[in-house]
Amino acid sequence: MVIAAKNQGATIIKIQKRDPDTLYTQEELESEYISPFGNTLSRYRKGVELSEGQIDYLTILCSNLEIPWFTSVLDIPSLQFIEKYKPVAIKVPSTISSHRNFLKEVAKSMVPCVFASLGGTDEKYVEWLGQVFSDKKLVLMQC
């Protein structure tokens, strides 16, 4: 997909990283969810997550193709994991706008740029983002 995207003119690749054990309760993880990876939400979420080896491969491939990548992160373990790759940016979805402690951790990270989806948030949230991410390039995204 990366090669096809690059061949079609893409200039950056976005992935997503989340830790299902952090984001979901045990009850949610054990709930029924039919997928190619099994019949629980846990098997599905863990099946679609990129492994360290896959991200290593992505990093090498993107470097060889001269196309950077960045990632959405949704939790502290994923942020800590992804930081070693030094992505050009991190995206934070609007679905975690109430997770202020996590967002403050993103602000402390070495990542130079943050894309923030605004979704159904309000003006106070936008102002808060501006304060928290004042040391970073901040790109606000609204659909």
Side-chain angles (χ1 to χ4, degrees):
M1 288 174 61
V2 172
I3 294 168
K6 172 74 175 179
N7 289 341
Q8 291 298 313
T11 59
I12 195 163
I13 301 297
K14 184 199 160 285
I15 63 170
Q16 184 166 292
K17 187 66 179 158
R18 72 175 84 194
D19 178 28
D21 293 325
T22 298
L23 288 173
Y24 300 100
T25 66
Q26 191 61 36
E27 183 180 5
E28 289 171 319
L29 289 170
E30 292 171 1
S31 67
E32 184 176 22
Y33 192 101
I34 307 302
S35 77
F37 305 103
N39 59 359
T40 64
L41 179 63
S42 177
R43 289 186 180 263
Y44 167 70
R45 288 293 351 149
K46 292 174 181 179
V48 297
E49 284 302 313
L50 294 174
S51 69
E52 185 171 8
Q54 289 169 321
I55 296 175
D56 289 344
Y57 177 78
L58 173 74
T59 301
I60 293 166
L61 177 63
C62 286
S63 177
N64 290 342
L65 294 173
E66 298 180 345
I67 186 169
W69 65 267
F70 74 108
T71 184
S72 290
V73 290
L74 288 91
D75 54 78
I76 290 174
S78 296
L79 174 65
Q80 292 169 339
F81 170 82
I82 217 72
E83 277 189 294
K84 69 181 172 184
Y85 293 98
K86 299 178 181 160
V88 297
I90 284 181
K91 178 183 175 277
V92 292
S94 61
T95 56
I96 60 165
S97 62
S98 64
H99 299 192
R100 302 293 172 96
N101 289 335
F102 168 68
L103 293 168
K104 288 176 185 175
E105 290 299 314
V106 174
K108 291 181 203 173
S109 75
M110 299 304 291
V111 176
C113 179
V114 174
F115 288 83
S117 292
L118 301 178
T121 62
D122 60 18
E123 189 175 312
K124 288 181 182 179
Y125 177 66
V126 173
E127 291 171 3
W128 183 84
L129 285 174
Q131 293 170 358
V132 170
F133 292 107
S134 62
D135 292 339
K136 299 197 179 300
K137 181 177 181 180
L138 176 63
V139 179
L140 301 177
M141 301 168 61
Q142 179 66 53
C143 294

